[in-house]
Structure formats: C-alpha cells, structure tokens
C-alpha cells in the first residue's frame, strides 16, 4: 500500500477514530467552549426571554390549536354570562314582589346609594336587549318597580314598618327580646324565619289596603252618583225654566183668546136677556 495514502486515511487521535465522526466534526473553538458533563448528568437548557417566537415562526398546527382554544374559551365565557343572566331573572321572578328589598336582593335599611348601584348593575345584566331569555321583560319590569318603590319615601316607610312589625311578631312568638343573642346575631335560619314572617305581614297589609281601597271606591261611587243626580236635577230644572219662558207668549195669547171668548159670551147673554118676555 501507499504510505502517504495510509497516513492520510489513518486517524491521528482516538477522538478521530470514533464512529459517526467525519465531516460533521465541530471546530476546535466550539469544542473548547462545550462544557464537560459528569456521567449521568443531563445537559442544562437555558431560556432567553428575549427570543420570543412570532406567529410566523409557529407551525401551522400550533396556530390552529390556539385559535380553537380561544374560540372554546369565548364560548365558555358567553355561556357563563347567559347562565348568570338566566339565574338572576329566575331569582327576581321567584322573589316576593311585594317586598322590594327581596326583588333587589338587598337587606332592609340599606342607604339609597346602594339601592341605585344595585339596580344599575342588575338592570344592565338582565336588560331585554342584552339577553334572549323570554322572561327578561317581566323581570326587568319588576326590578324597575322595586327601585321606584324604594325611591318613594312614603312607600319605603310603609315597607320598613311592615318589616319591623314582622320582626316584633317573630320575637313575640319565640319569647325573645332585642338583646337576645338570636336577634343581635341572626343566623340564616332566623333570617329565613324573619323573611317568611315579613311575607305574612305584607300579605295582610295588602289585603287591608285593597279592602280600604274598595270601600273608598264604593263611597266615591255613591258620592259620584249623588253628584250626578244633583247635576241631572239642576239640568231638568233649567230645561223646564227655559221651556216655560219659551211658552210664555203662547200662554199669554191663549189667555187673551180665552178672555175674548168670555167677554163675547157675556155680551151675547145680555142681548138675549133683553129679548125675554116677562111673565105675569
């Protein structure tokens, strides 16, 4: 064999003799920089935050996955919003409509600012233009009515009075006082009992109000009928007076005719008497 050819083909070091090493051997400078690892230790990968992948650099499959994930997330959020709207509409319709606090989901005695804020939030949530629920208009009307009642001082005062009466009745039934622990620190069971008693008081108050209104309307009806009868009597009297005045000339003419006839009869009677013969 040719010695020169053997010297070229023969590896100079053991590293050169390793299989798989040929044209892909790293330069000496890069080999020097490459850290030496202990046996069994995995290489450490460092992350550079400045090297952020761009959408163009992402594979098409990953971009499609991201779009599908965002679409699914939007669908879940939309479904959650509709669920909240439906739940609030259902709560409003199930609330006792004579209790404006219950319709607005507020505690009695809250300041007016809280009433306005709560109404604004709930009205925006269940507005018929922002939900497809067919019961939204009815729920929105009840919400508006409750806010209007609490905005009126007299109506709110009557409601607060009924709630206070319900509290006193509950305390009397359970033989409690204002200083009782059950009253000072009400639990959920006590609040529920208070709410039920409030419903009873409000129903009784509404029955009495309607009864009074009916009696008032009946009295007003009787009074109205009396007024109508008086008006009708005065009207008939005026019509009679007008008719009497209009017939005045006719009456006078008839009287004159009557007087003329009477006078003629008298004159005729005198002439006839002159013609009579005296007997005897």
């Amino acid at each position: 064999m040719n010695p020169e050819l053997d010297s070229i083909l023969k590896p100079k070091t053991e590293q050169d003799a390793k299989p798989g090493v040929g044209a892909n051997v790293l330069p000496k400078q890069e080999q020097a920089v490459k850290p030496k690892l202990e046996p069994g230790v995995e290489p450490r990968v460092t992350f550079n935050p400045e090297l952020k992948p761009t959408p163009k650099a992402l594979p098409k499959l990953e971009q499609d996955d991201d779009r599908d994930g965002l679409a699914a997330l939007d669908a879940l959020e939309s479904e959650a919003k509709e669920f909240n709207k439906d739940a609030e509409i259902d709560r409003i319709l199930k609330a006792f409509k004579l209790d404006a606090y219950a319709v607005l989901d507020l505690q009695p005695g809250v300041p007016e600012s809280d009433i306005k804020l709560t109404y604004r939030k709930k009205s925006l949530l269940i507005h018929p233009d922002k939900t497809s629920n067919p019961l939204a208009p009815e729920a929105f009307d009840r919400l508006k009515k409750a806010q209007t009642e609490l905005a009126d001082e007299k109506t709110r005062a009557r409601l607060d009075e009924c709630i206070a009466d319900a509290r006193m009745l509950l305390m009397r039934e359970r033989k409690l006082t204002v200083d009782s622990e059950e009253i000072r620190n009400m639990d959920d069971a006590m609040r529920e009992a208070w709410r039920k008693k409030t419903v009873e008081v409000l129903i009784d108050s509404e029955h009495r109000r309607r009864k009074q209104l009916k009696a008032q309307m009946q009295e007003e009806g009787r009074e109205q009928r009396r007024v109508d009868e008086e008006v009708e009597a005065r009207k008939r009297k005026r019509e009679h007076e007008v008719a009497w005045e209009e017939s005045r000339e006719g009456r006078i003419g008839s009287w004159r005719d009557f007087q003329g006839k009477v006078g003629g009869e008298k004159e005729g009677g005198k002439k006839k008497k002159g013609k009579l013969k005296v007997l005897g």
Side-chain angles (χ1 to χ4, degrees):
M1 296 182 64
N2 190 348
E4 295 179 359
L5 183 59
D6 294 338
S7 63
I8 295 174
L9 297 176
K10 183 180 180 180
K12 296 181 180 181
T13 62
E14 295 180 358
Q15 184 69 24
D16 295 336
K18 289 183 179 180
V21 178
N24 295 329
V25 177
L26 294 174
K28 292 182 178 181
Q29 184 178 1
E30 295 186 8
Q31 292 180 4
V33 176
K34 186 177 180 181
K36 295 181 180 181
L37 300 176
E38 297 293 333
V41 178
E42 297 181 356
R44 183 179 179 183
V45 179
T46 59
F47 173 73
N48 187 355
E50 296 181 357
L51 300 177
K52 296 181 180 179
T54 60
K56 294 182 179 180
L58 291 175
K60 186 176 184 303
L61 182 59
E62 293 182 2
Q63 293 182 14
D64 294 341
D65 292 342
D66 291 341
R67 293 193 191 98
D68 294 341
L70 292 175
L73 182 60
D74 292 340
L76 288 175
E77 291 179 354
S78 177
E79 184 178 353
K81 290 180 180 179
E82 288 299 324
F83 177 80
N84 292 335
K85 293 177 182 179
D86 293 341
E88 182 61 20
I89 290 172
D90 184 65
R91 187 200 65 78
I92 291 174
L93 295 178
K94 288 182 178 180
F96 188 55
K97 59 182 179 180
L98 294 179
D99 188 355
Y101 291 112
V103 175
L104 287 168
D105 197 18
L106 292 172
Q107 293 297 326
V110 296
E112 187 176 356
S113 58
D114 289 355
I115 296 174
K116 292 181 179 180
L117 181 61
T118 301
Y119 170 72
R120 177 174 176 79
K121 289 182 178 179
K122 293 185 180 299
S123 62
L124 290 175
L125 178 64
I126 68 166
H127 196 280
D129 294 341
K130 296 186 177 182
T131 178
S132 58
N133 193 317
L135 299 177
E138 182 181 357
F140 185 82
D141 291 341
R142 288 195 186 184
L143 194 70
K144 178 61 179 178
K145 183 179 179 181
Q147 188 271 337
T148 304
E149 291 178 353
L150 293 181
D152 184 81
E153 293 182 359
K154 293 183 179 180
T155 306
R156 185 178 181 182
R158 287 196 297 267
L159 178 59
D160 291 340
E161 183 179 356
C162 290
I163 294 175
D165 291 344
R167 182 170 175 264
M168 292 300 298
L169 290 174
L170 184 63
M171 291 168 56
R172 189 180 304 170
E173 290 177 359
R174 303 195 178 191
K175 298 180 179 181
L176 301 173
T177 63
V178 179
D179 298 328
S180 299
E181 183 65 21
E182 294 87 341
I183 300 299
R184 289 191 293 112
N185 297 318
M186 284 191 179
D187 55 8
D188 294 339
M190 181 61 72
R191 289 187 181 278
E192 181 65 17
W194 186 12
R195 186 190 65 80
K196 290 182 179 179
K197 184 61 67 175
T198 300
V199 171
E200 295 177 3
V201 173
L202 286 173
I203 291 176
D204 181 68
S205 176
E206 181 64 16
H207 284 165
R208 286 188 283 106
R209 187 189 70 83
R210 292 186 179 184
K211 187 175 180 180
Q212 292 174 357
L213 181 61
K214 183 178 180 180
Q216 182 181 357
M217 292 177 64
Q218 291 176 351
E219 183 63 27
E220 290 177 352
R222 287 192 294 268
E223 181 66 19
Q224 186 64 38
R225 286 193 297 271
R226 185 183 66 80
V227 172
D228 293 341
E229 290 175 357
E230 291 179 357
V231 171
E232 186 65 24
R234 288 194 298 268
K235 182 179 178 181
R236 289 195 300 268
K237 185 178 180 180
R238 286 195 302 268
E239 291 176 351
H240 177 71
E241 290 175 353
V242 171
W244 179 262
E245 288 295 330
E246 291 177 350
S247 62
R248 181 178 181 180
E249 294 296 331
R251 292 196 310 273
I252 293 174
S254 298
W255 175 254
R256 289 173 180 172
D257 294 341
F258 175 75
Q259 290 295 331
K261 291 180 179 180
V262 172
E265 289 178 356
K266 288 181 178 180
E267 292 177 358
K270 289 180 180 180
K271 291 180 180 179
K272 290 178 179 180
K273 286 181 180 180
K275 295 180 180 181
L276 292 176
K277 293 180 179 181
V278 179
L279 295 177

